Amino acid sequence: MGFVVIMAGGRGERFWPRSTMEMPKQFHRIVSSRTMLQEAFCRVYPEFGKDEIFIVAGESFKRIILEQIGEIDEKNLIVEPFGRDTAPAIALAATYLSKIDPDANMMVLTADHLVEPKDRFLKSVEIAEKVADDGYLVTFGIKPDRPATEYGYIELGTRIMDSYGGNVYRVKMFREKPDLKTAEEFLKSGRFLWNSGMFCFKVSVIMDAFSRYMPELYAGLTEISDAIGTDAEKSVIERNFKKFPKISIDYGVMEKADKIACIMPEFAWDDVGSWVALERHKKKDPTGSIIEGNVLQVDSKNNIVLNDDESIIGIIGVEDMIIVKERDRILICPKRRSQDIKALIKRMSEHEKFRRFM
């Protein structure tokens, strides 16, 4: 028996103004006719049954998830009282799953990545489960096609035996997001893969890793485990989450553990991290622009312009810009500054009159 855990609690700040705190990126149609969450669910369903798929998200997202994923039951929603990054989210899911079957594997996905085609992805999952059965913490590394600075990297060690049926390596080291020069060196060496943020491990193995590398968090998990199914469940989770560190699974566990394997899959992957990512997935018009809605350009090219209503956006002499209108929010930003949208969100949070637009 295996489980799939889809983490759906992210904020998707770099997709503002479409992505907001109330309706973040994963619940929007970004690159297809389905929302990012629906894409993630369909990636594993029906190959994994609806009782084997769990979604981790905040309480405020429950209604949206149930509306978008009609096949899933409320009992398969694991509720975080508030976001604490991926280590506590995965730890909470593993705690619930250990009550069902601690010997099962859990595949951890994010709700806002693009992965295709499905058949190659599922083949990689089969390989990952075989490796996880041997006690490895498994991550997925994507072969880079450009010197990307927005991703973390995995440095590969020696190849693990061929009996798994795929490209499986020991992990030598995890590397932080590099500057451009370092990213170019990584690409040239051929020893580095993008860190996809997808994992597979046996439930008992990841719980043991939390006990070894994050003992304070593990103590909280023990309390939560004892409270599951009781009237105190919600309050115990909330009390412990307040104490949990805000830390990723990479920092908290993966960089410290010694039995880490990396699969280099054959599927295509993109974290669709900012508006500029649309250029890799959307058709461009003759000016090199991506246009949605009522937009007119004069002497303009290579823009991303999205208009969500019947109004019109007119631009003259504009190049390499992102212009997005979403209800009462408008973004105007050079493509090269798309990563700085998070700074804009931070500024909004500092001004009471602007917080409602976040």
Side-chain angles (χ1 to χ4, degrees), residues 21-33:
M21 290 182 67
E22 292 182 355
M23 191 77 167
K25 163 190 166 187
Q26 58 268 27
F27 304 122
H28 289 278
R29 297 172 178 85
I30 302 293
V31 294
S32 76
S33 60

Side-chain angles (χ1 to χ4, degrees), residues 194-210:
W194 290 334
N195 187 352
S196 73
M198 296 186 292
F199 307 96
C200 183
F201 20 69
K202 194 178 287 290
V203 174
S204 59
V205 172
I206 191 62
M207 290 296 283
D208 179 65
F210 283 125

